[in-house]
Amino acid sequence: METKQFKAESKRLLDMMIHSIYSNREIFLRELISNASDAIDKIYYKALTDDSLSFDKDSYYIKIEANKDSRTLTISDTGIGMTKEDLENNLGTIAKSGSLAFKKETELKDGYDIIGQFGVGFYAAFMVADEVTVISKALGSDEAYKWQSTGAEGYTIEPCEKETVGTEITLKIKENTEDESYDEYLEEYRLKGIIKKYSDFIRYPIKMNVSVQKPKKDKEDEFEEVLEEQTINSMVPIWKKNKKELTDEDYENFYKEKRYGFDKPLKHIHINVDGAVRYNAILFIPENMPFDYYTKEYEKGLELYSNGVLIMEKCADLLPDYFSFVKGMVDSEDLSLNISREMLQQDRQLKLIAKNINKKIASQLKSLIKDDRDKYEAFYKSFGRQLKYGVYSEFGTHKDVLQDLLMFYSSTEKKNVTLKEYISRMPEDQKYIYYAAGESNERIEKLPQTEVVADKGYEILYFTDDVDEFAIRMLQKYDDKEFKSVSSSDLGFEAEENEKDTETESKENKDLFDYMKDVLQGKVKNVKVSKRLKSHPVCLSTEGEVSIEMEKVLNQMPDNQNIKADKVLEINVHHEVFNSLKEAFENDKDKLSLYTNLLYNQALLIEGLPINDPVEFTNDICKIMV
């Protein structure tokens, strides 16, 4: 019997298949089951146009049998089978796709489709097998043939006996090595796990003999282990069912079965698209953040299927980073089963699916704000920070998608509000969206800088996340209204007479403020009359792009570059403390220096900034007490 050689390019492709495209060995079973499903599909298609054929779906199945003694694993099907020529063409030339050719020749009907590229997927078997034997009898043929190969060296084809139409593939499983255990591919529990993981939604039964405990006859208290043929796969994927037939409980059970999370999802999104690209998707918005969400171990991505066959557990390209919390799956009829991660990144259909999914998630989150505020609040508590990162990242590329999803605590509503809600309440004379940044709502509430804005009746948004100000600086404005910090040097609403008074007071006390600035030795950019303080004697404001809260965040980073905000010490000239400053300036410069340092450190404490020398600060307090 002559051994036939693979073509040179086929040898190279085989080597690449085993070592590059498929790094996860267990998918060999997925490939062979998919091919078996294709073979049954082909009979279905033949029956559509051939009156002599009938297609009784219950008569078609795939069988998995493992034999530990002979170290063989057999995958058999009742599909269309292959002639000698089919074996030569489909298995003799890698990447020659019998399924693809059949698909082009046959009109698709009733939801059946041919997914595999037989020649490529079949060779995944050599990742776990030393030898592969294929026995096949084609529909309408009286002869059967055996194809056999030990890998890249070549293959043989010879006549053989087979009673029924279909294909039987037997793998001689490799012996274990120091690095790899191949025994697992002969274990019942492992085979069941692989089938459930990758092929649960194949539309034909995948049968397997399973060990079960059953009571002995006439001895109810004693059990014996027997083999029982069971169907391992569920066959009908939830995403192919009519939405009207499904309940919330069905979706929640699917969420748990797929182990997307241990929580109960806040929202499910069921998508069916039959347009330029055909796909189904079920997406879940979880309530709780995974414990590893902000670690490098966390992997974003959706499960990606091709016609019910899992081809990637975490397809990161389907989700943008700012929606990385979304769980779920996508099943497309337009993706090849045999496709690498690198190919997917360039796939036009995949990019279109990702774009549509992104829009759908954003739309559903907006609906939650409007229709189920409590659920959105729960979601935002877990993942609001991620949305803000999305606004800030990539130079604000995604801010238009995310701006309506942002929420901040409101000084007047005493709860989280959206920017749209804030704008709707703005008085006509209000020019800006005002915000204050701090470590907590309680601390912000007590900031001296908030007094004058609150007295005007203006709502203030409280920023307590470290990313808040960075995101807002990137956003710049919302509905043509710019954002303005209550610590900004220009609040945008001072009356003209106040401006004149402030200008006069600044001129009259210029020498005093210059002296105080010199005492602080570069710690502040300026000392000036405050236009915002009412009951407090002092506060810090900033000039330039870096705020005090941003300074805190930047200096906590690993590559700390000691970035400082341009601070301004503002003095309330209507506070009684100011009289003490003026008197000390005229009569006791040492006392003025003491007062200046005390006020500066007081302003630092109000902002939550560390005092440079706590011992000196406590000594200064003692000095004014004696």
Side-chain angles (χ1 to χ4, degrees):
M1 182 172 51
E2 180 187 358
T3 298
K4 299 186 178 183
Q5 298 296 313
F6 294 115
K7 293 180 180 179
E9 63 271 20
S10 296
K11 287 186 178 181
R12 291 195 295 271
L13 278 168
L14 175 57
D15 185 68
M16 189 171 68
M17 263 291 300
I18 295 173
H19 298 105
S20 300
I21 295 179
Y22 293 118
S23 56
N24 190 7
R25 283 188 169 85
E26 66 184 23
I27 58 88
F28 82 91
L29 189 56
R30 176 197 79 178
E31 299 294 303
L32 298 181
I33 289 173
S34 295
N35 290 338
S37 175
D38 282 353
I40 299 173
D41 278 347
K42 288 178 180 179
I43 286 190
Y44 170 78
Y45 284 123
K46 288 285 187 186
L48 291 176
T49 56
D50 189 340
D51 294 337
S52 65
L53 286 176
S54 61
F55 185 84
D56 178 8
K57 190 175 177 182
D58 294 336
S59 302
Y60 296 92
Y61 60 87
I62 300 161
K63 184 74 181 284
I64 310 295
E65 295 177 273
N67 188 319
K68 292 183 180 179
D69 294 333
S70 62
R71 291 190 70 79
T72 58
L73 179 66
T74 302
I75 299 92
S76 56
D77 65 66
T78 56
I80 200 167
M82 288 181 280
T83 63
K84 180 180 180 182
E85 184 180 6
D86 291 335
L87 288 168
E88 182 84 45
N89 291 335
N90 293 343
L91 306 188
T93 304
I94 300 174
K96 170 71 175 179
S97 176
S99 296
L100 186 61
F102 191 92
K103 182 176 180 179
K104 289 176 179 177
E105 293 171 4
T106 311
E107 184 181 358
L108 305 183
K109 295 181 183 178
D110 297 341
Y112 282 76
D113 201 354
I114 307 292
I115 52 177
Q117 291 195 358
F118 194 95
V120 176
F122 169 79
Y123 278 89
F126 284 99
M127 292 190 290
V128 300
D130 286 325
E131 182 180 75
V132 178
T133 302
V134 180
I135 295 175
S136 191
K137 184 177 183 180
L139 180 69
S141 174
D142 295 327
E143 297 178 320
Y145 289 89
K146 180 170 74 173
W147 180 100
Q148 197 165 36
S149 175
T150 56
E153 288 72 24
Y155 61 92
T156 60
I157 298 179
E158 61 180 327
C160 68
E161 295 295 323
K162 189 177 190 304
E163 291 184 6
T164 58
V165 171
T167 299
E168 181 182 288
I169 300 175
T170 301
L171 312 185
K172 180 74 174 178
I173 300 298
K174 293 179 180 180
E175 297 290 340
N176 294 336
T177 66
E178 289 184 9
D179 300 323
E180 294 287 345
S181 171
Y182 294 94
D183 286 353
E184 60 181 303
Y185 303 119
L186 297 167
E187 296 289 343
E188 175 188 303
Y189 77 93
R190 182 73 170 104
L191 294 171
K192 285 174 63 178
I194 296 172
I195 293 167
K196 290 292 290 182
K197 180 177 181 180
Y198 293 104
S199 307
D200 196 38
F201 307 117
I202 288 289
R203 61 177 65 90
Y204 304 107
I206 302 172
K207 298 181 179 183
M208 184 172 157
N209 290 329
V210 176
S211 300
V212 294
Q213 295 287 331
K214 286 196 171 183
K216 289 184 177 180
K217 289 182 179 180
D218 304 324
K219 295 181 180 180
E220 292 185 3
D221 297 334
E222 293 184 31
F223 290 82
E224 61 180 345
E225 189 173 279
V226 297
L227 288 178
E228 178 182 276
E229 187 177 81
Q230 293 182 359
T231 296
I232 308 301
N233 59 323
S234 61
M235 288 185 279
V236 182
I238 183 175
W239 59 85
K240 290 285 184 74
K241 293 181 180 179
N242 192 315
K243 298 178 192 178
K244 295 178 182 178
E245 299 174 6
L246 299 168
T247 64
D248 288 344
E249 188 178 3
D250 291 326
Y251 290 107
E252 288 166 15
N253 288 337
F254 181 68
Y255 184 84
K256 291 174 184 175
E257 286 169 10
K258 300 299 290 182
R259 295 185 176 86
Y260 290 142
F262 297 105
D263 58 343
K264 183 178 177 181
L266 281 174
K267 179 84 174 174
H268 66 261
I269 307 168
H270 194 158
I271 307 170
N272 300 110
V273 175
D274 189 10
V277 58
R278 296 171 294 174
Y279 70 94
N280 299 301
I282 295 180
L283 311 176
F284 294 96
I285 297 172
E287 179 176 2
N288 299 325
M289 182 192 302
F291 70 93
D292 61 346
Y293 188 62
Y294 284 113
T295 70
K296 62 182 180 180
E297 282 76 27
Y298 181 80
E299 285 185 81
K300 71 165 183 171
L302 302 175
E303 289 183 319
L304 183 60
Y305 292 79
S306 172
N307 280 278
V309 181
L310 183 68
I311 58 175
M312 191 174 292
E313 284 189 88
K314 292 283 181 70
C315 184
D317 297 314
L318 284 169
L319 288 175
D321 284 343
Y322 52 82
F323 286 156
S324 58
F325 48 80
V326 174
K327 302 291 185 181
M329 52 66 56
V330 174
D331 183 13
S332 174
E333 299 179 20
D334 298 310
L335 292 174
S336 167
L337 179 65
N338 301 294
I339 189 166
S340 70
R341 189 177 298 273
E342 292 73 21
M343 293 174 189
L344 277 173
Q345 290 171 350
Q346 306 299 323
D347 192 273
R348 187 183 65 83
Q349 285 93 348
L350 194 79
K351 289 179 179 179
L352 186 57
I353 293 171
K355 183 180 178 181
N356 292 345
I357 283 175
N358 190 24
K359 287 181 180 178
K360 194 70 174 179
I361 295 169
S363 172
Q364 290 297 311
L365 288 174
K366 288 178 185 177
S367 295
L368 267 187
I369 295 174
K370 181 182 177 183
D371 302 328
D372 200 334
R373 187 59 168 252
D374 289 341
K375 277 190 176 181
Y376 190 80
E377 291 271 5
F379 154 77
Y380 198 79
K381 184 178 180 181
S382 295
F383 301 107
R385 177 190 293 249
Q386 187 66 15
L387 300 182
K388 296 169 189 173
Y389 280 134
V391 171
Y392 177 69
S393 65
E394 298 183 47
F395 305 100
T397 303
H398 312 292
K399 62 184 180 182
D400 291 341
V401 177
L402 299 171
Q403 60 182 1
D404 288 322
L405 301 176
L406 301 181
M407 299 181 81
F408 303 97
Y409 186 83
S410 163
S411 63
T412 58
E413 302 301 303
K414 304 302 179 186
K415 64 181 181 181
N416 279 342
V417 300
T418 66
L419 296 176
K420 186 176 183 179
E421 290 163 348
Y422 180 101
I423 288 285
S424 70
R425 291 189 290 268
M426 282 178 60
E428 286 187 16
D429 64 338
Q430 184 177 338
K431 298 178 182 178
Y432 300 104
I433 299 172
Y434 291 101
Y435 69 87
E439 294 175 13
S440 67
N441 292 337
E442 293 73 24
R443 292 196 69 160
I444 294 174
E445 194 92 47
K446 297 174 183 177
L447 283 177
Q449 295 93 322
T450 63
E451 278 187 318
V452 69
V453 179
D455 282 354
K456 288 284 289 182
Y458 296 160
E459 189 174 352
I460 303 170
L461 298 177
Y462 290 1
F463 290 179
T464 53
D465 267 346
D466 51 13
V467 71
D468 283 347
E469 274 199 282
F470 294 92
I472 289 304
R473 294 290 179 90
M474 191 62 72
L475 198 56
Q476 294 182 334
K477 61 176 66 175
Y478 179 84
D479 196 20
D480 289 329
K481 296 288 185 181
E482 292 183 17
F483 293 90
K484 179 75 73 173
S485 170
V486 296
S487 298
S488 173
S489 56
D490 176 19
L491 291 173
F493 57 73
E494 291 81 9
E496 288 186 12
E497 56 270 23
N498 289 343
E499 288 283 351
K500 292 177 181 177
D501 291 342
T502 301
E503 190 175 333
T504 301
E505 288 158 349
S506 296
K507 288 180 180 178
E508 290 176 354
N509 297 288
K510 182 179 184 302
D511 293 340
L512 166 61
F513 293 148
D514 285 346
Y515 185 87
M516 293 176 71
K517 180 181 176 182
D518 290 339
V519 168
L520 293 172
Q521 299 176 338
K523 294 174 183 174
V524 295
K525 191 172 182 180
N526 200 8
V527 179
K528 70 176 187 178
V529 175
S530 179
K531 295 181 282 187
R532 79 188 76 236
L533 292 174
K534 296 189 70 180
S535 61
H536 293 80
V538 67
C539 75
L540 286 174
S541 63
T542 57
E543 296 178 357
E545 292 298 315
V546 181
S547 70
I548 289 172
E549 286 303 310
M550 293 169 79
E551 173 187 308
K552 293 179 192 176
V553 174
L554 292 169
N555 289 329
Q556 288 172 357
M557 292 183 176
D559 57 343
N560 182 353
Q561 299 177 8
N562 197 27
I563 295 172
K564 297 293 183 184
D566 289 333
K567 302 179 187 69
V568 176
L569 188 67
E570 295 195 8
I571 306 296
N572 184 355
V573 296
H574 303 294
H575 197 281
E576 56 191 19
V577 164
F578 183 65
N579 295 327
S580 299
L581 291 175
K582 287 202 296 185
E583 184 180 338
F585 180 62
E586 293 173 3
N587 303 314
D588 189 344
K589 293 293 196 298
D590 289 340
K591 185 175 282 189
L592 178 60
S593 297
L594 175 65
Y595 290 167
T596 299
N597 282 315
L598 278 171
L599 287 172
Y600 173 69
N601 284 323
Q602 178 184 335
L604 289 177
L605 287 172
I606 290 171
E607 294 292 341
L609 289 168
I611 293 173
N612 187 47
D613 192 338
V615 174
E616 182 183 21
F617 176 61
T618 54
N619 289 338
D620 285 347
I621 292 175
C622 292
K623 288 177 186 177
I624 63 170
M625 295 175 68
V626 297

